């Protein structure tokens, strides 16, 4: 059933290719902020996307789908076209594909979440250094990031900014100690930092979570944290601090979080490999695609709508979020 449905969706995608692949023009094409469209609200502060960045206008009942394609060796695949994919939204092909593009310059909104519980005390300094190096590499003028530590509560050491020096200062301020409320922290961060981030142009929202995946303090469930990240249209990349040849229960938690949100989990064998995990995330964020489409039978009822995106070439795999929550009529 899925194979036939995807084939139909692929045929639709191929038919709309020539009409929907945008050409460079002074006036940017219409699209939405990431995810099912919401009413436009300008974020406060200095958030000009900067020169050379395509500004995408908000339009209702559209979905912005950011995704990554990899080959069998895990290498990023670029240069593919719309007709190379089949898409189902809630089991149906989209009504219209409005844009398909290799997306390397879409502004980033990135949160660095560092586990500051006592269990990672011996590894914490190296994680701080790796996080700063990541920000030095990934941050472009149009990008914004924030830094947060968490144990039994969250500590936003530096709110959204494009100044790496301020972000580095925030990272250096964090100190380890205490228990771990991982799920509560994820839930609160996506709710307060990401869900409230409303702009009139599209951005990629991502969290980089550095943790051992253990939780001994949260009132929220893992599923609660994942749903809030999905509502906030936020990809979560996880880097495990459980260095060693084998995986434990916390690593499985990190994998589930990444899979559900369209991110990836990294498992360093030694502490020095944490920096490589940050590097891999930076490379992926600059090797993604953007697909903007109008879903069929769309209802603004707050329901969860599944996404099934597949490469028609069996050599390639697609990594994207499992779905999104439709906005709810107020």
């Amino acid at each position: 059933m899925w194979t036939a449905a995807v084939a139909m969706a692929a045929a639709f995608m191929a038919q709309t290719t020539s009409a929907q692949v945008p050409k460079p023009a002074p006036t940017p094409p219409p699209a939405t902020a990431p995810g099912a469209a919401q009413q436009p609200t300008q974020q406060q502060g200095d958030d000009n996307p900067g020169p050379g960045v395509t500004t995408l206008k908000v339009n209702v009942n559209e979905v912005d789908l950011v995704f990554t394609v990899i080959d069998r060796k895990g290498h990023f695949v670029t240069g593919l076209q719309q007709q190379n994919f089949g898409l189902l939204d809630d089991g149906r092909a989209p009504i219209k594909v409005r844009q398909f593009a290799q997306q390397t310059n879409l502004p980033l909104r990135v949160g660095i979440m560092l586990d500051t519980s006592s269990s990672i005390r011996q590894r914490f300094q190296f994680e701080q250094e790796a996080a700063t190096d990541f920000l030095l590499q990934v941050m472009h003028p149009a990008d914004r990031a924030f830094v947060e530590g968490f144990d039994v509560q969250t500590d936003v050491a530096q709110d959204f900014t494009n100044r790496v020096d301020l972000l580095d200062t925030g990272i250096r301020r964090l100190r380890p100690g205490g228990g771990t409320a991982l799920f509560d922290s994820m839930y609160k961060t996506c709710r307060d930092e990401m869900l409230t981030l409303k702009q009139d142009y599209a951005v990629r929202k991502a969290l980089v979570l550095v943790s051992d995946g253990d939780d001994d303090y949260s009132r929220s469930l893992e599923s609660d944290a994942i749903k809030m990240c999905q509502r906030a249209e936020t990809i979560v990349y996880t880097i495990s601090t459980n260095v060693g040849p084998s995986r434990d229960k916390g690593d499985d938690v990190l994998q589930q979080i990444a899979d559900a949100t369209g991110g990836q989990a990294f498992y360093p064998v030694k502490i020095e490999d944490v920096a490589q995990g940050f590097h891999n995330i930076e490379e992926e964020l600059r090797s993604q695609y953007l697909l903007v489409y109008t879903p069929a039978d769309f209802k603004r009822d707050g329901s969860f709508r599944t996404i099934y995106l597949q490469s028609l070439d069996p050599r390639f795999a697609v990594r994207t979020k499992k779905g999104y929550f439709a906005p709810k009529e107020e």
Side-chain angles (χ1 to χ4, degrees), residues 185-236:
S185 299
M186 277 185 57
Y187 185 98
K188 183 176 185 295
T189 300
C190 282
R191 182 194 64 192
D192 296 347
E193 301 294 332
M194 294 302 198
L195 189 62
T196 59
L197 191 63
K198 306 290 179 62
Q199 300 176 147
D200 60 359
Y201 54 89
V203 297
R204 276 176 292 179
K205 294 190 284 187
L207 286 179
V208 180
L209 171 65
V210 184
S211 175
D212 58 12
D214 293 331
D215 190 313
D216 57 13
Y217 207 86
S218 288
R219 299 179 64 181
S220 303
L221 301 175
E222 178 186 347
S223 58
D224 298 327
I226 288 174
K227 287 178 181 178
M228 183 52 68
C229 290
Q230 290 170 331
R231 289 186 188 280
E233 298 292 339
T234 300
I235 301 169
V236 183

Side-chain angles (χ1 to χ4, degrees), residues 24-39:
T27 303
T32 67
Q38 303 176 26
Q39 296 301 322

Side-chain angles (χ1 to χ4, degrees), residues 3-313:
T3 302
V6 170
M8 293 176 62
F12 174 83
M13 295 272 280
Q15 291 171 3
T16 60
T17 298
S18 60
Q20 300 305 325
V21 175
K23 297 180 180 180
T27 303
T32 67
Q38 303 176 26
Q39 296 301 322
T41 305
Q42 181 64 43
Q43 184 193 13
Q44 295 180 351
D46 177 17
D47 228 354
N48 189 323
V53 176
T54 302
T55 300
L56 304 176
K57 299 299 183 182
V58 173
N59 196 350
V60 296
N61 296 354
E62 291 180 6
V63 175
D64 280 10
L65 183 60
V66 175
F67 63 95
T68 305
V69 184
I70 57 174
D71 63 19
R72 290 171 179 169
K73 295 183 178 180
H75 299 144
F76 299 117
V77 180
T78 59
L80 299 179
Q81 303 299 317
Q82 180 179 316
Q83 63 266 30
N84 299 132
F85 301 93
L87 170 67
L88 295 176
D89 182 300
D90 226 29
R92 299 182 62 183
I95 294 174
K96 186 175 184 179
V97 175
R98 297 188 174 274
Q99 183 184 7
F100 179 91
Q102 183 81 37
Q103 197 62 64
T104 60
N105 66 343
L106 196 65
L108 300 176
R109 298 296 179 265
V110 180
I112 306 295
M113 291 185 64
L114 297 180
D115 188 337
T116 55
S117 62
S118 56
S119 62
I120 53 85
R121 185 183 300 274
Q122 295 180 344
R123 294 158 281 181
F124 190 64
Q125 183 177 354
F126 194 90
E127 293 163 18
Q128 289 175 304
E129 295 171 356
T132 296
D133 289 343
F134 166 76
L135 291 169
L136 285 168
Q137 293 296 319
V138 77
M139 293 292 287
H140 291 182
D143 300 329
R144 304 289 182 272
F146 70 89
V147 171
E148 171 186 296
F150 69 93
D151 42 43
V152 296
Q153 57 187 355
T154 59
D155 175 15
V156 179
Q158 174 59 55
D159 209 343
F160 278 109
T161 181
N162 67 339
R163 290 183 53 182
V164 178
D165 60 327
L166 296 180
L167 294 165
D168 177 61
T169 299
I171 290 172
R172 302 296 172 186
R173 281 180 43 216
L174 297 173
R175 295 290 183 270
T180 311
L182 171 60
F183 304 143
D184 282 353
S185 299
M186 277 185 57
Y187 185 98
K188 183 176 185 295
T189 300
C190 282
R191 182 194 64 192
D192 296 347
E193 301 294 332
M194 294 302 198
L195 189 62
T196 59
L197 191 63
K198 306 290 179 62
Q199 300 176 147
D200 60 359
Y201 54 89
V203 297
R204 276 176 292 179
K205 294 190 284 187
L207 286 179
V208 180
L209 171 65
V210 184
S211 175
D212 58 12
D214 293 331
D215 190 313
D216 57 13
Y217 207 86
S218 288
R219 299 179 64 181
S220 303
L221 301 175
E222 178 186 347
S223 58
D224 298 327
I226 288 174
K227 287 178 181 178
M228 183 52 68
C229 290
Q230 290 170 331
R231 289 186 188 280
E233 298 292 339
T234 300
I235 301 169
V236 183
Y237 296 94
T238 60
I239 301 177
S240 174
T241 59
N242 298 314
V243 293
S246 60
R247 290 172 55 173
D248 62 15
K249 182 179 178 181
D251 290 328
D252 293 336
V253 169
L254 297 177
Q255 184 73 60
Q256 292 161 7
I257 291 169
D259 287 347
T261 59
Q264 187 177 7
F266 298 91
Y267 302 101
V269 177
K270 55 186 183 298
I271 190 63
E272 291 78 9
D273 294 338
V274 169
Q276 184 61 44
F278 275 107
H279 172 75
N280 292 342
I281 294 169
E282 185 269 334
E283 185 180 2
E284 175 163 338
L285 289 172
R286 302 299 179 190
S287 305
Q288 295 178 312
Y289 295 85
L290 173 67
L291 174 62
V292 182
Y293 66 92
T294 303
D297 193 27
F298 186 80
K299 297 181 178 64
R300 300 174 66 86
D301 57 4
S303 64
F304 186 78
R305 296 176 64 93
T306 58
I307 288 176
Y308 186 80
L309 180 65
Q310 182 181 47
S311 168
L312 301 183
D313 188 328

